[in-house]
Amino acid sequence: MKFFVDTADIAEIRDLAATGLVDGVTTNPSLVAKTGRNFLDVVAEICSVVEGPVSAEVTAMDHETMVAEGRKLAAIAPNVAVKVPLTIDGLKTCKVLSGAGTLVNVTLCFSSAQALLAAKAGASFISPFVGRLDDIAQDGMDLIREIREIYDNYPHLKTEILVASVRHPRHVVDSARIGADVVTLPPDVLRKLALHPLTDKGLDTFMADWKKTGQTILG
Ligand code: E4P
């Protein structure tokens, strides 16, 4: 399963990319707004740091303007994945851009019917938002299970399931168990994946015992 980071904060992206664990980046207009920076500059900088897909979202609501925006974003770097909303105009835009060889991420997916449409429109990625479904007392992971089942029925569909709106490590583990292709993680969730109190406790004991030996490995 691939790990993307869900942020437009370049310092965070550089820090996490240095771990070798980051396969791509997702941004959205809210995350870009938080940076206070120029959107196109931010996308270009992220693409220079991360080799994998970098999602950059169109902000138009109509098909023609979405296509124009998508082409402009795609021209920034070959690893830009143009993000379009799951609307009819967004799906039409997905079909045009993906037909021209551009990576497209269809976002704001909340049902398996929507995911089926995105796959038919040739999306490279479908982004179901699990956390926002949990927020309204639906089980977000049920949606991932359903989409996996549907896509697996039609092996010619190449759309990857990109689990979005991830809130905690359990979402990541459940996504892996279901066989999602990608999870996009807020930086704090990625860091939390490495944590376990028994790891800390065990390390404290090892280090205390090692100190007693008076040795150093490097001499
Ligand atoms: C996905 O690409 C979105 O940027 C993101 O996961 C949304 O998450 P949120 O529900 O925490 O805003």
Side-chain angles (χ1 to χ4, degrees), residues 191-205:
R191 293 191 179 96
K192 274 185 199 159
L193 288 175
L195 301 180
H196 197 286
L198 291 180
T199 303
D200 295 342
K201 188 165 177 272
L203 196 54
D204 285 348
T205 307

Side-chain angles (χ1 to χ4, degrees), residues 6 26-28 31 55 57 83 105 107 127 129 131-132 135 162-167 184 186:
D6 196 26
T26 51
T27 67
N28 64 39
L31 293 171
S55 290
E57 190 159 340
K83 219 175 180 189
N105 176 358
T107 190
S127 290
F129 278 38
R132 294 192 194 187
D135 289 346
L162 192 172
V163 180
S165 188
V166 165
R167 300 277 162 79
T184 188

Side-chain angles (χ1 to χ4, degrees), residues 24-188:
V25 174
T26 51
T27 67
N28 64 39
S30 306
L31 293 171
V32 172
K34 269 194 213 168
T35 69
R37 297 183 54 202
N38 174 275
F39 178 35
L40 303 184
D41 291 349
V42 169
V43 174
E45 198 171 349
I46 298 172
C47 289
S48 73
V49 172
V50 174
E51 278 181 23
V54 174
S55 290
E57 190 159 340
V58 299
T59 54
M61 303 294 281
D62 67 284
H63 169 62
E64 285 75 20
T65 320
M66 274 187 201
V67 170
E69 288 184 353
R71 286 184 177 140
K72 185 164 181 177
L73 293 170
I76 294 174
N79 56 330
V80 167
V82 176
K83 219 175 180 189
V84 299
L86 215 153
T87 59
I88 293 295
D89 285 66
L91 292 167
K92 277 169 70 180
T93 303
C94 175
K95 186 87 187 167
V96 170
L97 295 178
S98 58
T102 299
L103 295 172
V104 180
N105 176 358
V106 180
T107 190
L108 290 168
C109 169
F110 293 96
S111 79
S112 47
Q114 290 180 319
L116 187 54
L117 290 178
K120 282 187 71 69
S124 309
F125 302 102
I126 180 69
S127 290
F129 278 38
V130 293
R132 294 192 194 187
L133 281 170
D134 290 353
D135 289 346
I136 60 161
Q138 290 186 25
D139 187 347
M141 297 318 298
D142 277 349
L143 174 58
I144 305 303
R145 260 179 229 104
E146 260 189 47
I147 299 172
R148 181 75 284 160
E149 185 187 341
I150 291 168
Y151 283 8
D152 285 352
N153 284 342
Y154 303 97
H156 67 281
L157 296 177
K158 298 299 174 217
T159 306
E160 295 190 39
I161 302 173
L162 192 172
V163 180
S165 188
V166 165
R167 300 277 162 79
H168 46 70
R170 193 73 231 168
H171 277 149
V172 182
V173 172
D174 288 344
S175 297
R177 293 185 70 183
I178 293 165
D181 303 285
V182 190
V183 282
T184 188
L185 306 169
D188 68 309

